[in-house]
Amino acid sequence: MKTENSQHDTDDVIIEIMGMHKWYGPFHVLKDINLTVRKGERIVICGPSGSGKSTMIRCINRLEEHQKGQIIVEGTELTSDLKNIERIRREVGMVFQHFNLFPHLSVLDNLTLAPIWVRKMPKKEAIDKAMYYLERVKIPEQAKKYPGQLSGGQQQRVAIARSLCMSPKVMLFDEPTSALDPEMIKEVLDVMVELAEEGMTMLCVTHEMGFAKTVADCVVFMDGGQIIERNDPETFFNHPQHERTKLFLSQVLQH
Amino acid sequence: MSSLDNNAQYPVGEHPNWEPPVSNVGVIGWMKHNLFSSRLNTILTLLAIYLLYTVIPPVVQWAILDADWVGSSKADCTGEGACWVYINVWWKQIMYGRYPDAELWRVQTAYVLGLVGLIPLMIPNFPKKKWISAYLLLLFPFMAYVLFSGDNLGLKLVETPLWGGLFLTLVIAITGIVASLPLGILLALGRRSNMPVIKTLCILFIEFWRGVPLITVLFMASVMFPLFLPQGVNFDQLLRALIGVALFAAAYMAEVVRGGLQAIPKGQYEAAQALGLSYWKTTIFIIMPQALKLVIPGIVNVFIALFKDTTLVSIIGLFDFLGMIQLVNTNPDWLSFAIEGYVFAAVIFWFFCFGMSRYSQHLEKKLHTGH
């Protein structure tokens, strides 16, 4: 599944980032980002903290605004046009480090809210869909509970199910396991692996190198707001090209 | 808990659960913990008991045991205690002001119509609450207005200067409460808006009304405002006071709601946006329910303050509950019963305010979802 193989085939390109820059005030956080994501591709983004990985994927659904360059999602360019932004957000699911479930709504309501009010799905259909995805993440019995009554791992699985209920074409994961206790990381990763095996297009910022090795088609390494290296996991972990990558890998793989 | 138990050895990981020490639980435990936990607290407890002993018996003696309850004139008050006959005789004025006797059924009907909506709302799990709320907020004010003022449906016109007593207090307070919450929410959203014009307007509005005393607002509404109107245009006195009170309360409400909005983590907005929810849907379904829940105590605080501030309308010639009592106090036949009047007013006000307070606590508990 090398990305170079299908270079000319632009039909199945789902996200295209070209020469994208971003500043926070005077601080240049993202520099000349170029990234193409094809349908079904699983991309893991890693790098030291502060390297701009989260900011980059947050630009894809416009939680952050970029100032230069182009981001095209599903053929629509992200501009300040609200209608376009909302259309893209419907198609792009996102899972956050801190889950961000809606604490005042039951698990089931968390899952059905957006399908009902954004996709205009009939209530019954939305509930059926929600229950289907709760089964998939293995917690259907928690449907009536509130997020505050669940463990961290369960909350994150609910958050994944909530995104899936919108039938997104791409899923963005922003350090989905970083806020979890060690014994809960596996249950969340298992769900993500399953999702990857079904062919979901995924962009995942994570420090879980095991996950990167097993599911990623491609690993992107970022540092200082730039993409330093992009390679298939085999090459990336065993023959890193760049000095900074080598340094980073020596630090994260030591343990 | 004998020393034998304490010294007993159990295999690792198999220690049984013991009962807590007797002195930590039950009535004795509670008293020890809450009343006599230290020498200073013991002294304070005893002092408090002494204080209650010196205050409560005389009050009970005056208000209940020595009080006169039945009769129709001042002469029936012979005892040493309170003369509740006074309240009895002036009941109608205190409750309804100068509203015509023959039309009182209209006010009472409106009360019943209001309670019919309000009581089911307060019963947990009552079905169709959305429809009942819609009835209360949309249909009821209209029906109440028609009943109160008349002049159509064959009802006799009762002009607002005749409205008074507790009835007028409720009209002002409920209008203020119902109008100030939505207005306050919009102002709070406006103040946090990214649009500079809307933001500035909201800040100006809020700071203006918060910076001016309510008495000034009421004076402006009743004395100054008519000067600005063209000749011949007449604006009802009560309506002007209502608008003044509602806008005044809305400014306070806006700041309370804004406090709640600021407590909502950024992640909630982001999660809602990431799902494709628009600004208004995010606000209505995600942000407001959480923000309002957080500031229930503050909202009810504004309601209670508003309820009590309605008494200020007496200075612009509207005779609300307290104003009516003060008016009755000046009746030459009933001088020297001011205390009974004020105590009665205090008790009624307290019941309304305490009711709101209890209901808000109940709401907080009910809406708590364990986070």
Side-chain angles (χ1 to χ4, degrees):
Chain A
M1 210 73 72
K2 282 271 184 64
T3 48
E4 283 77 10
N5 296 350
S6 41
Q7 199 70 65
H8 345 269
D9 182 6
T10 52
D11 283 349
D12 57 353
V13 169
I14 200 158
I15 299 171
E16 179 105 69
I17 304 178
M18 288 175 291
M20 188 255 281
H21 293 255
K22 175 173 176 58
W23 289 262
Y24 281 131
F27 181 52
H28 200 171
V29 272
L30 292 177
K31 300 167 187 164
D32 194 25
I33 301 290
N34 291 286
L35 187 72
T36 306
V37 183
R38 291 191 166 69
K39 203 165 275 178
E41 229 178 346
R42 279 92 62 171
I43 297 182
V44 164
I45 300 150
C46 59
S49 69
S51 59
K53 344 178 261 298
S54 290
T55 311
M56 185 188 83
I57 70 163
R58 286 159 59 87
C59 282
I60 295 172
N61 62 355
R62 194 79 169 184
L63 289 183
E64 303 284 352
E65 205 176 311
H66 63 281
Q67 279 90 30
K68 200 166 181 291
Q70 274 186 309
I71 302 178
I72 298 166
V73 182
E74 277 267 294
T76 310
E77 186 183 350
L78 269 171
T79 57
S80 53
D81 181 351
L82 256 176
K83 283 274 157 286
N84 277 350
I85 293 172
E86 276 167 23
R87 174 154 21 131
I88 286 169
R89 282 174 178 166
R90 285 200 288 272
E91 308 302 333
V92 177
M94 185 162 209
V95 175
F96 299 86
Q97 179 176 6
H98 295 289
F99 332 134
N100 297 351
L101 293 175
F102 307 130
H104 62 301
L105 298 177
S106 70
V107 166
L108 192 61
D109 289 339
N110 262 280
L111 268 62
T112 54
L113 182 89
I116 290 173
W117 290 99
V118 179
R119 288 251 190 250
K120 315 281 178 214
M121 195 183 276
K123 195 171 175 200
K124 197 181 164 307
E125 199 185 326
I127 291 175
D128 290 345
K129 193 161 189 181
M131 288 314 294
Y132 167 77
Y133 281 112
L134 280 180
E135 302 265 357
R136 288 278 311 278
V137 300
K138 302 180 186 67
I139 35 174
E141 71 282 359
Q142 314 284 12
K144 295 270 177 260
K145 286 199 186 162
Y146 286 94
Q149 298 164 313
L150 306 183
S151 73
Q154 288 172 328
Q155 289 192 46
Q156 193 60 300
R157 285 185 281 157
V158 171
I160 294 173
R162 177 175 70 179
S163 283
L164 292 176
C165 279
M166 286 292 283
S167 313
K169 303 218 165 74
V170 190
M171 285 284 281
L172 308 175
F173 292 85
D174 187 2
E175 305 204 24
T177 56
S178 302
L180 295 175
D181 289 339
E183 70 263 38
M184 292 169 185
I185 291 178
K186 187 176 176 298
E187 66 190 48
V188 171
L189 287 180
D190 284 348
V191 169
M192 291 168 61
V193 170
E194 237 178 74
L195 203 57
E197 281 164 359
E198 279 161 26
M200 174 63 78
T201 312
M202 295 164 71
L203 265 86
C204 186
V205 173
T206 184
H207 300 294
E208 295 297 326
M209 291 305 145
F211 175 78
K213 280 181 196 165
T214 47
V215 301
D217 301 310
C218 148
V219 182
V220 171
F221 175 72
M222 287 183 71
D223 192 16
Q226 284 170 289
I227 293 181
I228 303 291
E229 187 165 345
R230 175 185 178 152
N231 242 321
D232 61 283
E234 155 68 20
T235 325
F236 182 85
F237 288 108
N238 299 330
H239 314 287
Q241 309 292 306
H242 203 282
E243 278 310 313
R244 280 202 247 181
T245 319
K246 283 177 197 161
L247 182 68
F248 175 75
L249 285 176
S250 73
Q251 279 162 346
V252 292
L253 295 179
Q254 246 167 21
H255 310 288
Chain B
M1 281 73 22
S2 65
S3 57
L4 191 130
D5 275 335
N6 284 336
N7 294 332
Q9 292 292 317
Y10 297 99
V12 173
E14 298 197 7
H15 199 298
N17 295 327
W18 285 346
E19 293 288 323
V22 183
S23 60
N24 277 12
V25 288
V27 181
I28 299 172
W30 183 87
M31 282 179 42
K32 196 177 139 195
H33 187 76
N34 293 295
L35 297 178
F36 306 107
S37 59
S38 70
R39 195 172 296 165
L40 178 65
N41 284 356
T42 308
I43 292 170
L44 290 176
T45 300
L46 294 175
L47 266 178
I49 291 172
Y50 175 72
L51 201 69
L52 291 176
Y53 170 75
T54 56
V55 170
I56 293 177
V59 168
V60 172
Q61 191 79 20
W62 177 82
I64 298 170
L65 300 178
D66 287 349
D68 291 295
W69 299 85
V70 280
S72 57
S73 76
K74 194 178 171 180
D76 292 313
C77 286
T78 49
E80 291 287 294
C83 178
W84 300 124
V85 176
Y86 167 82
I87 304 295
N88 242 334
V89 170
W90 294 104
W91 180 259
K92 215 180 285 167
Q93 282 73 14
I94 293 173
M95 288 296 129
Y96 304 103
R98 295 187 291 137
Y99 209 86
D101 284 3
E103 309 293 329
L104 281 185
W105 64 270
R106 281 154 54 176
V107 176
Q108 287 150 357
T109 310
Y111 282 173
V112 171
L113 286 174
L115 287 176
V116 161
L118 208 56
I119 291 172
L121 268 194
M122 299 204 173
I123 299 172
N125 301 325
F126 200 88
K128 304 251 192 294
K129 280 201 178 180
K130 264 182 211 156
W131 290 104
I132 298 172
S133 315
Y135 156 77
L136 264 186
L137 289 175
L138 302 174
L139 199 58
F140 173 70
F142 181 70
M143 295 194 310
Y145 174 74
V146 169
L147 277 169
F148 292 158
S149 84
D151 204 20
N152 37 26
L153 300 176
L155 294 173
K156 198 172 143 239
L157 175 70
V158 180
E159 298 204 21
T160 54
L162 297 179
W163 302 13
L166 185 61
F167 160 58
L168 182 66
T169 295
L170 289 174
V171 167
I172 299 172
I174 292 174
T175 314
I177 285 172
V178 170
S180 66
L181 186 59
L183 214 56
I185 289 174
L186 289 178
L187 284 168
L189 289 173
R191 190 166 187 170
R192 285 168 56 88
S193 158
N194 293 326
M195 291 175 269
V197 177
I198 289 181
K199 187 174 174 162
T200 313
L201 285 176
C202 287
I203 292 177
L204 285 176
F205 183 95
I206 291 169
E207 296 305 336
F208 171 76
W209 291 97
R210 283 207 309 165
V212 178
L214 183 55
I215 292 193
T216 318
V217 172
L218 291 172
F219 265 128
M220 292 278 280
S222 80
V223 183
M224 298 275 291
F225 187 62
L227 300 179
F228 299 127
L229 289 176
Q231 284 254 305
V233 176
N234 196 15
F235 222 110
D236 187 86
Q237 165 98 337
L238 175 62
L239 183 62
R240 278 181 268 143
L242 280 178
I243 294 173
V245 167
L247 295 183
F248 185 81
Y252 280 89
M253 191 61 76
E255 288 300 279
V256 170
V257 173
R258 192 165 69 94
L261 288 173
Q262 271 167 347
I264 304 299
K266 205 166 146 242
Q268 291 291 307
Y269 292 91
E270 290 180 349
Q273 284 169 0
L275 287 167
L277 289 159
S278 64
Y279 170 80
W280 285 108
K281 281 174 187 163
T282 303
T283 303
I284 292 169
F285 295 120
I286 309 300
I287 305 304
M288 269 307 154
Q290 296 186 61
L292 292 181
K293 190 178 87 176
L294 279 174
V295 293
I296 287 174
I299 292 175
V300 175
N301 215 10
V302 174
F303 286 170
I304 288 176
L306 169 68
F307 189 78
K308 294 191 292 188
D309 281 352
T310 56
T311 52
L312 289 174
V313 298
S314 60
I315 62 152
I316 56 165
L318 296 171
F319 289 100
D320 73 311
F321 182 47
L322 191 65
M324 216 59 217
I325 286 176
Q326 277 171 322
L327 187 67
V328 172
N329 280 344
T330 60
N331 185 309
D333 288 342
W334 289 89
L335 292 173
S336 83
F337 291 109
I339 295 180
E340 280 85 345
Y342 286 131
V343 167
F344 179 68
V347 169
I348 297 295
F349 269 108
W350 184 82
F351 269 108
F352 274 99
C353 296
F354 185 67
M356 286 194 257
S357 163
R358 292 303 305 198
Y359 185 64
S360 86
Q361 282 171 30
H362 160 78
L363 263 188
E364 276 176 60
K365 259 196 212 120
K366 199 183 92 178
L367 297 176
H368 184 72
T369 55
H371 59 278

